[in-house]
Amino acid sequence: MHPLLINAVIVNHNTSAFTELALRSILARHRADLPLRLTVLDNASEDDTAPLRACAAAYGVPVVQTGFDTHTANNSHGEVLTRFVRDNPHCSHYLLLDTDICFMEDDTVDTMLQELDAAKDAFAVCARFSWDGATEISVEEQQKNPDLYETRMHPGCALIRNTPLFRRVVDAVGMSAIYYMWPHGGEYLDTCKLMTRVMGTHGLRHVLSERMVLHFFSVSYEWDHEALRLESLYM
């Protein structure tokens, strides 16, 4: 069992202004002694990264190149997260953060730690999402896209226990999006959805936090396939 240490990661993909906001918000909204180790992973972003780099340097947060760029054929987010988990085994928890989230409430991560500790059959706890910074996304919109909460651990703001089982699943399955090819059709599984299903075969689930974060959505990638655009409102 590792002592409390949270390895947090944000992936920048031509979203430097959003990443800077996410970085500033998490540091502004949490106590200075929270054992949080932040890393910004960058996909050779071609936007103006200077303000982000200056902010990160001021806070002592490393900005590390992933080896990917912004022109990959498919979304590299899941693979970047997979490699991060593989390369950083020495922590008690992982905190996955989308580049386009902003913390709105103080001590959100502390609350999520308590919630995860209380849910013994959970491998992760996810923050709720707001579009307007004041209210949660409506139930109607949640029902339109069950990938927000119900069917997968959304990596927008997810706190995960670092267990040997979780790392084995990530090592074997990964967290990338996949497309199942059934005999009479197909099924798209977004980032972390297959991993969530595999964790479920071990009796482990993800739970929702009482805390909420602002999520802008769809700032990193555009849908490449019209059929997928019609299936979901969000990336």
Side-chain angles (χ1 to χ4, degrees):
M1 179 71 70
H2 296 287
L4 183 60
L5 173 63
I6 305 165
N7 263 333
V9 60
I10 306 172
V11 183
N12 186 38
H13 185 92
N14 273 353
T15 49
S16 297
F18 286 98
T19 303
E20 181 183 350
L21 176 61
L23 185 61
R24 289 185 181 278
S25 72
I26 190 172
L27 294 171
R29 288 291 190 176
H30 294 86
R31 54 190 171 90
D33 62 345
L34 179 67
L36 183 73
R37 183 166 61 198
L38 274 162
T39 301
V40 174
L41 296 180
D42 181 61
N43 289 339
S45 294
E46 298 172 329
D47 60 347
D48 183 7
T49 63
L52 168 61
R53 290 183 178 278
C55 172
Y59 288 118
V61 174
V63 178
V64 180
Q65 292 301 313
T66 65
F68 295 108
D69 57 27
T70 58
H71 303 285
T72 54
N74 298 304
N75 186 325
S76 64
H77 190 197
E79 178 63 19
V80 173
L81 298 179
T82 296
R83 293 183 181 187
F84 181 79
V85 170
R86 287 174 178 166
D87 294 343
N88 294 275
H90 303 299
C91 61
S92 61
H93 299 77
Y94 298 101
L95 179 63
L96 309 186
L97 302 170
D98 274 1
T99 189
D100 51 353
I101 64 102
C102 179
F103 284 87
M104 305 185 302
E105 300 176 275
D106 291 340
D107 303 317
T108 294
V109 174
D110 291 279
T111 298
M112 293 172 72
L113 280 167
Q114 294 169 13
E115 292 167 331
L116 185 56
D117 187 57
K120 301 305 181 184
D121 64 339
F123 73 93
V125 57
C126 302
R128 299 175 185 271
F129 294 137
S130 171
W131 279 342
D132 60 10
T135 58
E136 186 178 3
I137 293 174
S138 69
V139 173
E140 180 183 7
E141 296 297 342
Q142 293 175 35
Q143 292 172 342
K144 288 180 182 178
N145 187 359
D147 278 359
L148 276 175
Y149 295 149
E150 181 182 353
T151 59
R152 65 167 175 153
M153 181 208 77
H154 195 297
C157 183
L159 183 71
I160 308 164
R161 297 187 208 273
N162 178 12
T163 64
L165 172 61
F166 173 70
R167 292 198 307 275
R168 285 200 304 273
V169 170
V170 170
D171 191 53
V173 174
M175 291 192 276
S176 292
I178 69 162
Y179 192 81
Y180 266 125
M181 299 176 68
W182 303 115
H184 300 292
E187 180 188 7
Y188 178 74
L189 274 64
D190 209 341
T191 307
C192 294
K193 190 170 182 178
L194 179 60
M195 178 275 293
T196 302
R197 287 187 179 182
V198 175
M199 294 298 287
T201 68
H202 294 272
L204 296 171
R205 63 191 176 105
H206 64 289
V207 295
L208 285 179
S209 175
E210 68 176 31
R211 294 304 182 96
M212 187 168 58
V213 296
L214 175 63
H215 198 312
F216 295 99
F217 287 103
S218 301
V219 305
S220 299
Y221 293 91
E222 297 180 359
W223 286 109
D224 293 324
H225 305 289
E226 184 62 24
L228 296 181
R229 290 192 187 96
L230 297 176
E231 289 178 10
S232 177
L233 294 175
Y234 320 109
M235 185 62 184

